[in-house]
């Protein structure tokens, strides 16, 4: 029998927008935990589509002052455990 991959809920890095910054991120639902990698891709794509070409990328696409985070960071979004 081959081992399979088990990922706990805590292993996935998640982000939630803080309500006081909602006007800066139209389309991002409040009170919803998003997979951080997916949300970062969405925000980066929006930045590239809508912001002027002469504006440089921010140091972090998800400003930690604007978002709450939970889960662990690491390879492929979190700690992975192999089980049988």
């Amino acid at each position: 029998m081959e081992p399979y991959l088990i990922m706990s809920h805590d292993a996935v890095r998640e982000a939630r927008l803080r309500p006081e910054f909602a006007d800066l991120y139209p389309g991002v639902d409040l009170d919803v935990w998003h997979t951080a990698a997916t949300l970062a891709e969405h925000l980066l794509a929006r930045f590239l589509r809508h912001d002027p070409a002469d504006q440089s990328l921010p140091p972090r696409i998800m400003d930690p002052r604007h978002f709450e985070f939970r889960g662990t960071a690491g390879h492929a979004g979190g700690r992975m455990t192999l089980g049988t």
Side-chain angles (χ1 to χ4, degrees):
M1 180 182 259
E2 293 185 33
Y4 57 92
L5 184 66
I6 301 172
M7 289 192 69
S8 71
H9 178 68
D10 291 337
V12 177
R13 185 80 163 154
E14 295 178 309
R16 178 170 66 179
L17 179 60
R18 296 178 190 274
E20 59 269 29
F21 297 102
D23 58 325
L24 298 175
Y25 301 91
V28 177
D29 295 328
L30 293 175
D31 298 324
V32 175
W33 287 100
H34 302 273
T35 303
T38 302
L39 182 56
E41 288 176 2
H42 168 77
L43 295 175
L44 178 60
R46 188 179 75 185
F47 178 89
L48 294 173
R49 279 193 313 268
H50 299 291
D51 289 331
D54 62 339
Q55 185 175 350
S56 62
L57 284 171
R60 294 185 70 181
I61 200 69
M62 288 192 298
D63 188 324
R65 296 172 296 179
H66 299 179
F67 292 89
E68 298 176 70
F69 296 93
R70 71 179 181 188
T72 59
H75 180 69
R79 180 177 52 245
M80 294 182 280
T81 306
L82 291 177
T84 58

